C-alpha cells in the first residue's frame, strides 16, 4: 500500500468516526427535544398559577423530564465539545 492509499484509508476512517459521533449527538438532541416538548405540554396548563397550586404528581413528572433533558444535553455537549453554562451536576445553583 502506497503513501497516498494509506492517507486515503486514514481519512476515510476519520470521516466514519466523525459521522458516528455526529449521529450519536443527533440522537441525544432528539431525546432532549422530545423531553422538552413533553415538559412544556405537562406544565402549560399551570402557567400563571402559584407553584404550590400545581399538583405534586405534575411537579414530579416535570422534574423527571428536566433530569432527562439535562442528561441528554450534557451528553450532546460532550460529544460536540461544547461547554454548557449553569450549575454543574449535583450543584444547587447557588455558587
Amino acid at each position: 500500500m502506497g503513501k497516498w492509499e494509506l492517507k486515503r484509508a486514514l481519512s476515510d476512517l476519520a470521516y466514519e468516526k466523525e459521522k458516528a459521533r455526529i449521529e450519536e449527538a443527533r440522537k441525544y438532541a432528539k431525546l432532549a427535544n422530545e423531553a422538552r416538548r413533553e415538559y412544556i405540554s405537562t406544565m402549560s396548563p399551570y402557567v400563571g398559577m402559584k407553584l404550590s397550586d400545581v399538583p405534586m404528581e405534575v411537579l414530579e413528572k416535570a422534574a423527571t423530564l428536566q433530569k432527562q433533558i439535562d442528561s441528554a444535553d450534557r451528553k450532546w455537549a460532550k460529544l460536540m465539545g461544547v461547554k454548557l453554562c449553569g450549575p454543574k451536576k449535583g450543584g444547587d445553583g447557588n455558587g
Side-chain angles (χ1 to χ4, degrees):
M1 182 182 283
K3 200 175 199 180
W4 183 86
E5 289 89 356
L6 181 59
K7 281 186 176 184
R8 176 64 188 236
L10 290 173
S11 178
D12 287 347
L13 288 172
Y15 171 77
E16 291 301 322
K17 184 178 178 182
E18 183 71 5
K19 186 175 156 186
R21 182 183 66 86
I22 290 171
E23 284 303 313
E24 187 175 1
R26 283 187 180 145
K27 177 184 79 170
Y28 289 119
K30 182 179 178 186
L31 288 172
N33 185 49
E34 290 169 354
R36 276 189 187 90
R37 289 179 184 273
E38 188 175 353
Y39 179 93
I40 290 167
S41 68
T42 298
M43 293 302 292
S44 63
Y46 306 97
V47 170
M49 294 177 70
K50 292 188 297 183
L51 199 55
S52 59
D53 292 337
V54 178
M56 185 54 70
E57 58 272 4
V58 172
L59 294 174
E60 289 170 350
K61 180 178 180 180
T64 298
L65 289 166
Q66 188 61 56
K67 287 178 185 176
Q68 291 172 3
I69 293 165
D70 292 344
S71 175
D73 282 344
R74 280 192 306 275
K75 290 174 183 175
W76 175 88
K78 183 176 179 181
L79 285 166
M80 298 308 292
V82 174
K83 184 175 181 179
L84 296 178
C85 297
K88 293 186 180 189
K89 183 178 178 184
D92 62 4
N94 294 324

